[in-house]
Amino acid sequence: MKAILLSILFFSPVAMIVNGKNDPTNEEYLRKVLSNLEKIESASYYTLSEAWQPGDSIPVYATRHFTQEYKNPKDTTIGASYVTFNCEDTTLFDLGYNGDIKATTYHEHKGVMIDDFTTRDLPFRLLTPPFFNYTKSILNYILTTQDNITVELEERKDEYYLKLSIDEDRQVEFFGKAYYMPENPYLFGDTRSQYELWISKANDLPYKKRREMAHSISAQLCYDAVFNNLDIEDFNLYAYFPDGYEIRRYGEKREEQPPVSALVGEKAPLWTLPDAQEQSVSLADLPGKVVLMEFTGIGCGPCRMAIPFLNELKERFAAGELSVITLESWVKNLRSIQVYTDKNGIQYPTVCATEEIIKEYQTHTLPSLYWMRTVQSERC
């Protein structure tokens, strides 16, 4: 096994590895892989995508998709177009981008949401590029950046393992190229950015990537890839929209949803939900004259900022006066909920909310907080 540590300092856009230029574990090899990626005009492949919260070893979610990716020279944003389908039914369209719009399908609502990138004032288009386009951006960044980075390149039996660590005062994300993310108060000063690639020796192309930040970790495995089997001239994103689905545009105004205040004075919907230890917790059994209930989400920055405030409330009032409880609305993995509560020092119970309860409480944004007086039959 060969392991070579490559340090690229801020004053050197490219750092040579000390081995001879014919050694595949040097800069020349990275350029070879990048050249191979540039030759991909199209690709069809399956992916396994997973995500973790920092500190956890069990994925919060794992999803499989079938993707068709195209090089798109007309798109000056990422230089690619793509469409993804349900892995079990590759005719079931999920997500796509054609260089002008991003379209997301919500099958449970029989709708397609179109984002033309005019609503949010961002320096990039908020979309995750397809696998080969994404890995190409990472390699291009390594070979051209003047940032303070460290790259580890390790030869293994059937692959090369590449680890990129970026030591900058802002996180670096890839949306076609590297973007330095605005200062985020929810990160508490942790601006780490780390990317890993696994490159097959069989074709000198990446087949797996992993991204690690202070707030989230994600990975994607690409398999059964077929290259240059599609023509961008035949690509029509609108043709994939399911028949009969309502088409909406991101940011367009619709009929106002009922305000949360409509629940004031009404009986609070009762629930019994599992906590991280798989124990049942019931709203009706919570002690205290008043219950403060928060709907939250793992990965929600404002929700994380609310934790010290809620901990303080719990400490300030006796159990007979106030109960504080959180309903996790995004993540259904109880182990992940436990890791999150431990890591963030949450001192009040957290239970896993169901979609039914979220709808009953008319929760549209996170965090959402509700005060309830239990002495009056759990009225809001």
Short mmCIF file of all heavy atoms in Angstrom, two decimals, residues 42-45 66-70 81-85 90 130 229-230 235 240:
data_model
loop_
_atom_site.label_atom_id
_atom_site.label_comp_id
_atom_site.label_asym_id
_atom_site.label_seq_id
_atom_site.Cartn_x
_atom_site.Cartn_y
_atom_site.Cartn_z
N SER A 42 -22.42 11.98 -21.48
CA SER A 42 -23.66 11.59 -20.79
C SER A 42 -23.37 10.34 -19.98
O SER A 42 -22.39 9.63 -20.23
CB SER A 42 -24.79 11.34 -21.79
OG SER A 42 -24.53 10.17 -22.55
N ALA A 43 -24.24 10.07 -19.03
CA ALA A 43 -24.08 8.86 -18.21
C ALA A 43 -25.44 8.47 -17.64
O ALA A 43 -26.25 9.34 -17.27
CB ALA A 43 -23.08 9.08 -17.10
N SER A 44 -25.68 7.18 -17.56
CA SER A 44 -26.86 6.64 -16.87
C SER A 44 -26.36 5.76 -15.75
O SER A 44 -25.47 4.91 -15.98
CB SER A 44 -27.72 5.81 -17.84
OG SER A 44 -28.14 6.59 -18.94
N TYR A 45 -26.89 5.92 -14.56
CA TYR A 45 -26.37 5.16 -13.42
C TYR A 45 -27.36 5.16 -12.26
O TYR A 45 -28.31 5.95 -12.21
CB TYR A 45 -25.04 5.75 -12.95
CG TYR A 45 -25.06 7.24 -12.71
CD1 TYR A 45 -25.48 7.78 -11.49
CD2 TYR A 45 -24.66 8.13 -13.71
CE1 TYR A 45 -25.51 9.15 -11.28
CE2 TYR A 45 -24.68 9.50 -13.51
CZ TYR A 45 -25.11 10.00 -12.30
OH TYR A 45 -25.14 11.37 -12.10
N PHE A 66 -32.27 6.39 -9.90
CA PHE A 66 -31.67 6.18 -11.22
C PHE A 66 -31.53 7.56 -11.86
O PHE A 66 -32.47 8.35 -11.88
CB PHE A 66 -32.56 5.29 -12.08
CG PHE A 66 -32.08 5.13 -13.49
CD1 PHE A 66 -30.90 4.45 -13.77
CD2 PHE A 66 -32.79 5.68 -14.55
CE1 PHE A 66 -30.45 4.31 -15.07
CE2 PHE A 66 -32.35 5.54 -15.85
CZ PHE A 66 -31.17 4.86 -16.11
N THR A 67 -30.34 7.86 -12.38
CA THR A 67 -30.04 9.20 -12.89
C THR A 67 -29.57 9.13 -14.33
O THR A 67 -28.82 8.22 -14.71
CB THR A 67 -28.96 9.88 -12.03
OG1 THR A 67 -29.43 10.02 -10.70
CG2 THR A 67 -28.61 11.26 -12.59
N GLN A 68 -30.01 10.11 -15.11
CA GLN A 68 -29.47 10.34 -16.44
C GLN A 68 -28.83 11.72 -16.42
O GLN A 68 -29.50 12.72 -16.17
CB GLN A 68 -30.56 10.25 -17.50
CG GLN A 68 -31.15 8.86 -17.66
CD GLN A 68 -32.26 8.79 -18.69
OE1 GLN A 68 -32.89 9.79 -19.00
NE2 GLN A 68 -32.50 7.60 -19.21
N GLU A 69 -27.53 11.75 -16.67
CA GLU A 69 -26.74 12.98 -16.57
C GLU A 69 -26.21 13.36 -17.94
O GLU A 69 -25.75 12.49 -18.69
CB GLU A 69 -25.59 12.78 -15.59
CG GLU A 69 -24.60 13.93 -15.52
CD GLU A 69 -23.47 13.67 -14.54
OE1 GLU A 69 -23.58 12.73 -13.72
OE2 GLU A 69 -22.45 14.40 -14.61
N TYR A 70 -26.25 14.64 -18.26
CA TYR A 70 -25.79 15.14 -19.56
C TYR A 70 -24.79 16.27 -19.35
O TYR A 70 -24.99 17.14 -18.49
CB TYR A 70 -26.94 15.71 -20.39
CG TYR A 70 -28.07 14.77 -20.70
CD1 TYR A 70 -29.05 14.48 -19.75
CD2 TYR A 70 -28.19 14.19 -21.96
CE1 TYR A 70 -30.11 13.63 -20.04
CE2 TYR A 70 -29.25 13.35 -22.27
CZ TYR A 70 -30.21 13.07 -21.30
OH TYR A 70 -31.26 12.24 -21.59
N SER A 81 -26.98 19.00 -17.26
CA SER A 81 -28.40 18.82 -17.01
C SER A 81 -28.59 17.38 -16.55
O SER A 81 -27.76 16.51 -16.82
CB SER A 81 -29.22 19.09 -18.28
OG SER A 81 -29.16 20.45 -18.64
N TYR A 82 -29.71 17.13 -15.87
CA TYR A 82 -29.91 15.77 -15.37
C TYR A 82 -31.36 15.56 -14.98
O TYR A 82 -32.14 16.51 -14.81
CB TYR A 82 -29.01 15.49 -14.17
CG TYR A 82 -29.30 16.33 -12.94
CD1 TYR A 82 -30.13 15.87 -11.92
CD2 TYR A 82 -28.73 17.60 -12.79
CE1 TYR A 82 -30.39 16.64 -10.80
CE2 TYR A 82 -28.98 18.37 -11.69
CZ TYR A 82 -29.81 17.89 -10.68
OH TYR A 82 -30.08 18.66 -9.58
N VAL A 83 -31.72 14.30 -14.85
CA VAL A 83 -33.04 13.92 -14.37
C VAL A 83 -32.87 12.66 -13.53
O VAL A 83 -32.05 11.79 -13.85
CB VAL A 83 -34.02 13.69 -15.54
CG1 VAL A 83 -33.54 12.57 -16.45
CG2 VAL A 83 -35.43 13.41 -15.04
N THR A 84 -33.58 12.59 -12.40
CA THR A 84 -33.51 11.42 -11.54
C THR A 84 -34.89 10.78 -11.44
O THR A 84 -35.92 11.46 -11.50
CB THR A 84 -33.00 11.77 -10.13
OG1 THR A 84 -33.96 12.60 -9.47
CG2 THR A 84 -31.68 12.50 -10.20
N PHE A 85 -34.86 9.46 -11.27
CA PHE A 85 -36.09 8.68 -11.20
C PHE A 85 -36.07 7.80 -9.96
O PHE A 85 -35.02 7.52 -9.38
CB PHE A 85 -36.23 7.78 -12.44
CG PHE A 85 -36.19 8.50 -13.74
CD1 PHE A 85 -34.98 8.76 -14.38
CD2 PHE A 85 -37.35 8.93 -14.36
CE1 PHE A 85 -34.93 9.42 -15.59
CE2 PHE A 85 -37.32 9.59 -15.58
CZ PHE A 85 -36.11 9.83 -16.19
N THR A 90 -38.21 3.22 -12.78
CA THR A 90 -37.39 4.22 -13.46
C THR A 90 -38.18 5.07 -14.45
O THR A 90 -37.61 5.86 -15.20
CB THR A 90 -36.22 3.55 -14.19
OG1 THR A 90 -36.73 2.55 -15.09
CG2 THR A 90 -35.27 2.91 -13.20
N PRO A 130 -25.27 16.58 -10.51
CA PRO A 130 -25.20 15.12 -10.62
C PRO A 130 -23.79 14.62 -10.33
O PRO A 130 -22.82 15.38 -10.32
CB PRO A 130 -25.62 14.86 -12.06
CG PRO A 130 -25.29 16.12 -12.79
CD PRO A 130 -25.52 17.22 -11.82
N ASN A 229 -24.31 7.29 -23.68
CA ASN A 229 -25.42 6.58 -24.31
C ASN A 229 -26.61 7.49 -24.59
O ASN A 229 -27.64 7.03 -25.09
CB ASN A 229 -25.88 5.42 -23.43
CG ASN A 229 -26.40 5.89 -22.07
OD1 ASN A 229 -25.95 6.91 -21.54
ND2 ASN A 229 -27.34 5.15 -21.50
N LEU A 230 -26.48 8.78 -24.25
CA LEU A 230 -27.58 9.73 -24.40
C LEU A 230 -27.09 10.95 -25.16
O LEU A 230 -25.89 11.25 -25.17
CB LEU A 230 -28.11 10.15 -23.02
CG LEU A 230 -28.58 9.02 -22.09
CD1 LEU A 230 -28.79 9.56 -20.68
CD2 LEU A 230 -29.86 8.40 -22.61
N PHE A 235 -32.88 15.83 -24.85
CA PHE A 235 -33.31 16.03 -23.46
C PHE A 235 -34.39 17.10 -23.39
O PHE A 235 -34.21 18.24 -23.80
CB PHE A 235 -32.11 16.44 -22.60
CG PHE A 235 -32.45 16.67 -21.15
CD1 PHE A 235 -32.80 15.60 -20.34
CD2 PHE A 235 -32.43 17.95 -20.61
CE1 PHE A 235 -33.10 15.79 -19.01
CE2 PHE A 235 -32.74 18.15 -19.27
CZ PHE A 235 -33.07 17.08 -18.46
N TYR A 240 -40.90 14.80 -18.86
CA TYR A 240 -40.91 13.84 -17.76
C TYR A 240 -41.99 14.14 -16.72
O TYR A 240 -42.23 13.33 -15.83
CB TYR A 240 -39.55 13.81 -17.07
CG TYR A 240 -38.43 13.33 -17.97
CD1 TYR A 240 -37.49 14.21 -18.47
CD2 TYR A 240 -38.33 11.98 -18.31
CE1 TYR A 240 -36.46 13.77 -19.29
CE2 TYR A 240 -37.30 11.53 -19.13
CZ TYR A 240 -36.37 12.43 -19.62
OH TYR A 240 -35.35 12.00 -20.43
#
